[in-house]
Structures are given as C-alpha cells and as structure tokens.
Amino acid sequence: TAPDSAEATDAAEAHRAHIDRWFYDLGYPMHRGLADMYLADPRFTKTYDDREPGLAQYVHDAIHANADRHER
C-alpha cells in the first residue's frame, strides 16, 4: 500500500505509540525527526533496506504521513 494509506499510517502510529509507551515521550515532531534519521544515517538506512530495498524511504514517508494526519 502507499505510505499515506490508512494501513501504513496506522502502522506508523503503532510504532510511535510503542516507543512512547515503553521508552520515551515521542510526539509527532520527534517521530518525524526519527524518520528523518532513518534516511540521514546510512546505518539506519542499511538496517531497513537490508530487509527490503526502499523500506527506509517507505517507513520515513509513512511516519511523515501519519504525523501530517495527527497535526492537522
């Protein structure tokens, strides 16, 4: 599905909520920053893209789309 689909943004929201519940407060601006790091740091990009080429970009885009829908 597209990164801005309900399924992808729901998964991104579950990712954000999991970190927020178990590790640290994670609002939407900070979640965007985390997604940006997935592309900016080659180690993070490699971790995702080793599973599926292009996955880091997809996760990034889904997190941003999720933040967009919650920050309106």
Side-chain angles (χ1 to χ4, degrees), residues 9-58:
T9 55
D10 287 350
E13 179 60 21
H15 175 260
R16 188 204 64 77
H18 175 82
I19 294 170
D20 188 72
R21 178 175 183 194
W22 295 106
F23 298 101
Y24 52 86
D25 290 340
L26 186 62
Y28 297 101
M30 191 166 172
H31 200 210
R32 283 180 192 274
L34 187 59
D36 293 345
M37 186 176 61
Y38 293 161
L39 296 180
D41 186 322
R43 295 168 297 178
F44 281 98
T45 305
K46 182 178 179 342
T47 297
Y48 279 95
D49 286 354
D50 279 352
R51 293 190 62 89
E52 181 68 33
L55 185 58
Q57 183 70 57
Y58 182 87

